[in-house]
Amino acid sequence: MSATAREPYGQVLVRLGTAQKGAARGAPAYSRFVNRRIGRYLAAAAYRAGLSPNAVTGVSALFTFSGIALLIALPPSWGQGAAVAVLLALGYAWDSADGQVARLTGLGSPAGEWLDHAVDAVKVVTLPLALAVGFAVHDVVAPAWLLVPLVSAVTSSVLFFAMILTEQLRRAHGVQSLAPTDGRFPWLRSVLVLPTDYGVLCWTFLLLGAPTVFLWVYAAITVCTTGFLALALVKWFREVRTL
């Protein structure tokens, strides 16, 4: 039995608690307070099973892209929506686990970070595109509704690229992006940006049994995310101009 397998699960969790990175400034509430915690439990299990950080990224991709494939393979229904939501949420939780395993094992690397971001880059654009293709193939909504996931694909892709690039430029200039701890309500920003939270998006697929209701909710999320992107681009440009 390997040393990692012999270490009690509870002890691994304790060590993970001391190996956490600082929370991203203004990270949405589900990602920050729910998904990260679930990822910690998965990371402990993955560590005891001897999985490498890249293997954990692979598990995340398997869950995520299985859920995305179901959007095309099956017509919208309550069962399909539940399966998609669970698979996407599990994929997101495992996505949080790979970095935690890397910090716990000391096996983090630029290649691992690249792999993680590459999978995320594919995910954020294929999810809305698969949704549009699935609705078109199964002919369940008016064609005009397909514009919503198409706009979401553009917004999600630009947001992901701009966010990652801004973070890399901050690192290159020695600037850390940590959540502020001052003020009476340090968590308020995380709650306010919940509509932009990928974890919230995952669970909206529970509504796929009622396609029109789902699309109204999805459209609201897309509008909020696009508005957030417009404000964030201005802020990030001003920030990087001063680096």
Side-chain angles (χ1 to χ4, degrees), residues 90-110:
L90 284 172
Y92 192 37
W94 279 100
D95 185 33
S96 175
D98 57 6
Q100 298 188 57
V101 172
R103 288 188 293 277
L104 188 62
T105 60
L107 296 177
S109 67

Side-chain angles (χ1 to χ4, degrees), residues 6-242:
R6 288 196 302 268
E7 186 175 2
Y9 182 80
Q11 185 174 326
V12 177
L13 280 177
V14 171
R15 287 212 294 130
L16 270 171
T18 63
Q20 297 298 303
K21 67 178 181 179
R25 183 187 302 151
Y30 180 91
S31 296
R32 186 175 175 186
F33 302 120
V34 178
N35 194 66
R36 196 171 184 182
R37 182 177 295 274
I38 297 173
R40 186 181 306 180
Y41 289 110
L42 295 177
Y47 174 79
R48 295 190 77 248
L51 296 181
S52 68
N54 287 351
V56 175
T57 300
V59 173
S60 170
L62 179 62
F63 279 115
T64 296
F65 293 114
S66 294
I68 291 174
L70 287 182
L71 291 173
I72 299 176
L74 299 176
S77 67
W78 294 109
Q80 181 226 29
V84 170
V86 170
L87 287 170
L88 292 179
L90 284 172
Y92 192 37
W94 279 100
D95 185 33
S96 175
D98 57 6
Q100 298 188 57
V101 172
R103 288 188 293 277
L104 188 62
T105 60
L107 296 177
S109 67
E113 186 174 6
W114 179 92
L115 179 64
D116 182 35
H117 290 331
V119 170
D120 287 342
V122 176
K123 172 185 70 180
V124 298
V125 71
T126 55
L127 176 57
L129 291 181
L131 178 63
V133 171
F135 277 149
V137 167
H138 299 292
D139 194 23
V140 292
V141 296
W145 275 113
L146 301 181
L147 291 173
V148 177
L150 294 181
V151 171
S152 177
V154 175
T155 296
S156 300
S157 184
V158 174
L159 177 59
F160 179 78
F161 172 80
M163 181 172 57
I164 293 300
L165 179 58
T166 302
E167 178 60 27
Q168 294 302 317
L169 290 172
R170 286 170 179 159
R171 288 187 190 179
H173 291 81
V175 178
Q176 290 186 326
S177 300
L178 300 180
T181 57
D182 55 339
R184 293 184 61 185
F185 306 106
W187 45 266
L188 184 58
R189 178 182 171 88
S190 293
V191 174
L192 291 176
V193 295
L194 262 176
T196 70
D197 198 323
Y198 177 77
V200 171
L201 177 63
C202 292
W203 291 111
T204 63
F205 285 91
L206 290 171
L207 299 173
L208 273 176
T212 303
V213 174
F214 165 79
L215 280 168
W216 276 110
V217 174
Y218 189 75
I221 290 175
T222 300
V223 169
C224 290
T225 304
T226 303
F228 173 85
L229 172 63
L231 295 174
L233 288 177
V234 173
K235 176 182 179 297
W236 290 337
F237 178 74
R238 289 174 177 171
E239 180 181 346
V240 297
R241 190 168 56 180
T242 64

